[in-house]
Amino acid sequence: VMLATGRPLSELRGALAKFPQRSLALKVREKRPLETLPTLPRAIEALERELGSQGRVLVRYSGTEAKLRLLVEGPTDAAVQAGPASYLSYCARAWVRTHLNGWDGAARDCAKAFELDGETAKAYAARGNLHHSQKRYEEALADYTEAIDLAPQNANWHNNRGNVYYAIKQYDLALADYTRAIELDPQCV
């Protein structure tokens, strides 16, 4: 960039905006390839959508420890809830733990998210993911429905509830949720 603009680094660094970050490290028993965790990419995409076009979520394994590292970054502290009492961080960690079968830890994180902000749709969705992964379908439906009632424009939560309806063979309801998810976001998978 210095060569292209002909400007010194001292000038260019002023144009670089540092974004607040929140990072978490989760202990894992084994480092399974992230692409083999079927719903993890969707969870990451959902978090990125919540942060907007200027935010990002990075997930990777530590190179030296048996840990999965999660970094949430966004344009403002409020966007990433950078403090230790962050319901967004607890929801994110619950999603990751759910996908790694860390159900006890995920349940604690969901409880903490509700303690911090009991009205957040994200906390209901995170707990719905936990229930769904444990095949506790009625509880998952209740939580996804609450999340949708609080944030009806979230395509992922319609899709997730559709997955639960599909699992319990309520195909008409699954079809309705999948259709609504596509209407809200044609890229929703």
Side-chain angles (χ1 to χ4, degrees), residues 150-185:
L150 291 168
Q153 300 304 311
N154 189 302
N156 287 313
W157 300 337
H158 285 277
N159 188 69
N160 290 357
R161 189 172 67 179
N163 290 340
V164 175
Y165 282 133
Y166 184 86
I168 62 175
K169 298 181 172 56
Q170 291 189 16
Y171 300 119
D172 289 341
L173 293 172
L175 181 61
D177 266 336
Y178 290 146
T179 300
R180 183 66 180 138
I182 291 168
E183 289 169 356
L184 292 169
D185 180 3

Side-chain angles (χ1 to χ4, degrees), residues 24-159:
L24 304 165
L26 307 173
K27 291 181 181 179
V28 295
R29 285 186 218 119
E30 62 178 299
K31 295 180 181 180
R32 293 185 282 172
L34 294 176
E35 61 274 7
T36 66
L37 303 173
T39 56
L40 184 61
R42 281 198 324 230
I44 293 167
E45 288 171 14
L47 284 171
E48 287 175 336
R49 268 197 282 281
E50 292 296 324
L51 293 169
S53 63
Q54 294 184 331
R56 67 181 178 151
V57 178
L58 302 173
V59 179
R60 68 171 181 82
Y61 286 113
S62 168
T64 58
E65 301 175 273
K67 291 185 177 180
L68 180 72
R69 301 205 184 274
L70 170 70
L71 172 76
V72 180
E73 183 178 70
T76 65
D77 280 332
V80 296
Q81 299 285 318
S86 161
Y87 79 88
L88 178 60
S89 295
Y90 284 101
C91 289
R93 192 166 69 178
W95 278 324
V96 173
R97 283 183 165 163
T98 296
H99 301 299
L100 295 173
N101 296 328
W103 291 311
D104 291 338
R108 285 191 303 273
D109 284 340
C110 286
K112 185 66 175 178
F114 275 104
E115 178 185 319
L116 296 170
D117 186 354
E119 295 302 313
T120 180
K122 293 180 201 85
Y124 283 104
R127 194 171 65 183
N129 291 342
L130 174 63
H131 292 319
H132 186 191
S133 70
Q134 294 178 315
K135 299 183 179 178
R136 294 164 47 189
Y137 297 126
E138 293 304 317
E139 291 163 292
L141 284 175
D143 281 336
Y144 287 139
T145 298
E146 190 65 35
I148 290 167
D149 287 347
L150 291 168
Q153 300 304 311
N154 189 302
N156 287 313
W157 300 337
H158 285 277
N159 188 69

